[in-house]
Amino acid sequence: MTAFTITQLTGLLREAAGEDDTVDLDGDVLDTAFADLGYDSLALLQTTGCIERDHGVTIDEDAVAEAETPRQYLAVVNEALSVKN
């Protein structure tokens, strides 16, 4: 599988927890804290569950909890996907 992208991530975040009207998820948000984007740990857990289910992987929950930005989160997800392949 190719790398999980910011577009895929923002789509799942929107599905899992909606979107804050004051935040443009289509902009440059890779290094913006999830808290500043309006997403809490529950939204990330829901998103992680969807990725695990859809891609048949297990993602390290501790690493997800430490990921403060989409860039860090994508690194965790893509590491799990690379182990699967």
Side-chain angles (χ1 to χ4, degrees):
M1 172 181 183
T2 59
F4 200 78
T5 67
I6 186 66
T7 302
Q8 291 170 298
L9 175 58
T10 55
L12 282 176
L13 286 168
R14 285 179 175 122
E15 286 178 28
E19 182 175 4
D20 187 329
D21 292 338
T22 64
V23 176
D24 178 15
L25 287 179
D26 295 322
D28 184 14
V29 296
L30 274 173
D31 296 311
T32 304
F34 282 114
D36 293 341
L37 295 173
Y39 296 106
D40 60 11
S41 59
L42 181 58
L44 291 178
L45 286 175
Q46 289 178 300
T47 300
T48 301
C50 291
I51 295 168
E52 288 179 329
R53 181 194 67 229
D54 294 347
H55 297 283
V57 297
T58 300
I59 300 172
D60 182 342
E61 290 178 24
D62 292 332
V64 168
E66 292 177 12
E68 297 180 5
T69 66
R71 183 183 306 275
Q72 293 168 339
Y73 183 86
L74 287 171
V76 171
V77 170
N78 285 318
E79 175 64 25
L81 292 173
S82 73
V83 170
K84 178 186 175 195
N85 294 328

